[in-house]
Coordinates of all heavy atoms in Angstrom, one line a residue:
G43 N 27.0 -3.7 20.0 CA 26.9 -4.3 21.3 C 28.2 -4.4 22.1 O 28.4 -5.4 22.8
P45 N 30.8 -3.9 25.0 CA 30.6 -3.7 26.4 C 30.7 -2.3 26.8 O 31.6 -1.6 26.4 CB 31.7 -4.6 27.1 CG 32.2 -5.5 26.0 CD 31.9 -4.8 24.7
L51 N 17.5 6.5 23.6 CA 16.3 6.4 22.8 C 16.1 7.6 21.8 O 16.2 8.7 22.2 CB 15.0 6.3 23.7 CG 13.7 6.1 23.0 CD1 13.6 4.9 22.1 CD2 12.5 6.1 24.0
L86 N 22.7 -11.1 16.5 CA 22.3 -10.3 17.6 C 23.5 -10.1 18.6 O 23.7 -10.9 19.5 CB 21.1 -11.0 18.3 CG 20.4 -10.3 19.4 CD1 19.5 -9.2 18.8 CD2 19.5 -11.2 20.2
G118 N -9.3 -6.3 16.1 CA -8.6 -5.8 17.3 C -7.1 -5.7 17.1 O -6.5 -6.6 16.5
P153 N 15.0 0.9 13.9 CA 13.8 0.9 14.7 C 12.6 0.1 14.0 O 12.4 0.3 12.8 CB 13.4 2.4 14.8 CG 14.2 3.0 13.7 CD 15.4 2.2 13.4
L155 N 8.4 -1.1 14.6 CA 7.2 -1.3 15.4 C 6.7 -2.7 15.1 O 6.7 -3.2 14.0 CB 6.1 -0.3 15.0 CG 6.4 1.2 15.2 CD1 5.1 2.0 14.7 CD2 6.7 1.5 16.6
G184 N 3.8 8.4 6.6 CA 5.2 8.7 6.2 C 6.2 8.1 7.3 O 7.3 8.6 7.4
K218 N 6.7 -17.6 9.9 CA 7.6 -16.4 10.1 C 7.9 -15.6 8.8 O 8.0 -16.2 7.7 CB 9.0 -17.0 10.6 CG 9.1 -17.2 12.1 CD 9.1 -15.9 12.8 CE 9.1 -16.1 14.3 NZ 8.8 -14.8 15.0
E269 N 8.2 -20.0 24.3 CA 7.3 -19.2 25.1 C 8.0 -18.0 25.7 O 9.2 -17.9 25.6 CB 6.9 -20.1 26.3 CG 6.2 -21.4 26.0 CD 4.8 -21.3 25.5 OE1 4.2 -20.2 25.7 OE2 4.3 -22.2 24.8
P277 N 13.1 -5.9 32.5 CA 13.2 -4.5 32.2 C 14.7 -4.1 31.9 O 15.6 -4.6 32.7 CB 12.7 -3.7 33.4 CG 11.8 -4.7 34.1 CD 12.4 -6.1 33.8
V285 N 8.1 8.2 29.7 CA 6.9 8.8 30.1 C 6.3 9.7 29.0 O 7.0 10.6 28.5 CB 7.2 9.6 31.4 CG1 5.9 10.4 31.8 CG2 7.6 8.7 32.5
V322 N -9.6 3.9 -5.2 CA -8.4 3.9 -6.0 C -7.6 5.2 -5.9 O -6.4 5.2 -5.8 CB -8.8 3.8 -7.5 CG1 -7.6 3.9 -8.4 CG2 -9.5 2.4 -7.8
E334 N -6.7 16.0 -5.6 CA -7.4 17.1 -5.1 C -6.8 18.4 -5.7 O -7.6 19.4 -5.8 CB -7.2 17.1 -3.5 CG -8.2 16.2 -2.9 CD -8.5 16.6 -1.5 OE1 -9.4 17.5 -1.4 OE2 -7.9 16.1 -0.5
K344 N -15.1 14.0 -11.2 CA -15.2 12.7 -11.9 C -14.3 12.6 -13.0 O -13.6 11.6 -13.2 CB -16.7 12.5 -12.3 CG -17.0 11.2 -13.0 CD -17.0 10.1 -12.0 CE -17.2 8.7 -12.8 NZ -16.4 7.6 -12.3
L358 N 2.2 6.3 -16.3 CA 3.1 6.0 -15.2 C 3.6 4.6 -15.2 O 4.8 4.3 -15.0 CB 2.5 6.3 -13.8 CG 2.1 7.8 -13.6 CD1 1.3 7.9 -12.3 CD2 3.4 8.6 -13.4
D360 N 3.7 2.5 -17.8 CA 4.5 2.3 -18.9 C 6.0 2.7 -18.6 O 6.9 2.0 -19.1 CB 4.1 3.1 -20.1 CG 2.8 2.5 -20.8 OD1 2.5 1.3 -20.4 OD2 2.2 3.1 -21.7
Q407 N -2.7 24.5 -23.8 CA -3.1 25.6 -24.8 C -2.0 25.8 -25.8 O -2.3 25.9 -27.0 CB -3.4 26.9 -24.1 CG -4.6 27.0 -23.2 CD -4.1 26.6 -21.7 OE1 -3.2 25.8 -21.5 NE2 -4.7 27.3 -20.8
A434 N -16.5 10.8 -53.4 CA -15.5 9.8 -53.7 C -16.0 8.4 -53.4 O -15.3 7.4 -53.8 CB -14.2 10.1 -52.9
G437 N -20.5 4.5 -54.2 CA -21.0 3.1 -53.9 C -21.6 2.9 -52.5 O -22.7 2.4 -52.3
E440 N -24.8 4.6 -51.9 CA -26.0 3.8 -52.4 C -26.3 2.7 -51.3 O -27.5 2.5 -51.0 CB -25.6 3.1 -53.7 CG -25.7 4.1 -54.9 CD -26.9 4.9 -54.9 OE1 -28.0 4.3 -54.9 OE2 -26.9 6.2 -54.9
F452 N -18.4 3.9 -41.4 CA -17.3 4.1 -42.3 C -17.2 5.6 -42.7 O -16.1 6.1 -42.7 CB -17.6 3.3 -43.6 CG -16.9 3.7 -44.8 CD1 -15.5 3.3 -45.0 CD2 -17.5 4.5 -45.8 CE1 -14.9 3.7 -46.2 CE2 -16.8 4.9 -46.9 CZ -15.5 4.5 -47.1
K464 N -9.8 16.3 -36.0 CA -10.2 17.6 -35.3 C -11.7 17.9 -35.5 O -12.1 18.9 -34.8 CB -9.3 18.7 -35.9 CG -7.9 18.6 -35.5 CD -7.0 19.8 -35.9 CE -6.8 19.6 -37.4 NZ -5.9 20.7 -37.9
A465 N -12.4 17.2 -36.4 CA -13.8 17.6 -36.5 C -14.6 17.2 -35.3 O -14.3 16.2 -34.6 CB -14.4 16.8 -37.7
L474 N -23.8 14.3 -41.2 CA -23.8 13.0 -42.0 C -25.2 12.4 -42.1 O -25.6 12.0 -43.2 CB -22.8 12.0 -41.3 CG -21.4 11.9 -41.9 CD1 -20.6 10.9 -41.1 CD2 -21.4 11.5 -43.4

Side-chain angles (χ1 to χ4, degrees):
L51 179 59
L86 191 71
L155 293 182
K218 277 287 176 198
E269 301 286 340
V285 175
V322 175
E334 281 210 84
K344 181 74 185 139
L358 292 172
D360 282 353
Q407 296 91 321
E440 283 312 305
F452 162 79
K464 289 184 289 185
L474 260 178

